[in-house]
Amino acid sequence: DECYDSMFCGCESLTIAPELLATTLADGCYYNMFSGCGNLSAITVHFTEWSTEADETETENWLAGVANEGTFTCPAALADERGISAIPEGWTKVDL
C-alpha cells in the first residue's frame, strides 16, 4: 500500500513519466505521484480499472498540476474518466 505515494511530486523537470507496469493497483499506490509536475505531458499505464470504492485512493490527485495537453497511453479497457485523479482534461487517450 502507498508504495509510490508522492514519489515525483513537484518534479518540474519530468516531461515523460516512467512506464507504470502494474496491472492492478494497491491502496494509495499512486496517490499524489505526479502532482505538481507542471511539464509532465506523457504517461503510459497498464492497469485496466480505476478505483470504484469511495474510500480508496489509488490515483487520488496523482496528475494534479501537470501540463494542459498530453498523451495518456493505456489499455483499451480502461474507462475514459477525466480529472486530476484519472486522465487529465485536455489530454489525448491512446490505447496500448
Side-chain angles (χ1 to χ4, degrees):
D1 291 352
E2 301 175 14
C3 49
Y4 301 113
D5 181 347
S6 302
M7 185 174 198
F8 297 100
C9 185
C11 183
E12 287 290 326
S13 62
L14 188 64
T15 57
I16 299 172
E19 188 167 353
L20 303 178
L21 300 174
T23 56
T24 58
L25 302 178
D27 233 2
C29 60
Y30 295 158
Y31 179 81
N32 279 331
M33 188 174 185
F34 300 107
S35 180
C37 296
N39 292 309
L40 181 65
S41 62
I43 188 170
T44 299
V45 303
H46 290 266
F47 57 89
T48 56
E49 292 183 314
W50 300 105
S51 175
T52 56
E53 302 295 323
D55 63 341
E56 292 185 19
T57 60
E58 287 87 344
T59 59
E60 186 175 341
N61 297 321
W62 78 315
L63 295 173
V66 297
N68 292 329
E69 296 178 355
T71 304
F72 190 93
T73 305
C74 61
L78 186 64
D80 190 353
E81 294 183 19
R82 299 295 172 141
I84 61 174
S85 297
I87 303 168
E89 298 290 341
W91 282 38
T92 302
K93 180 181 183 269
V94 176
D95 295 338
L96 283 173

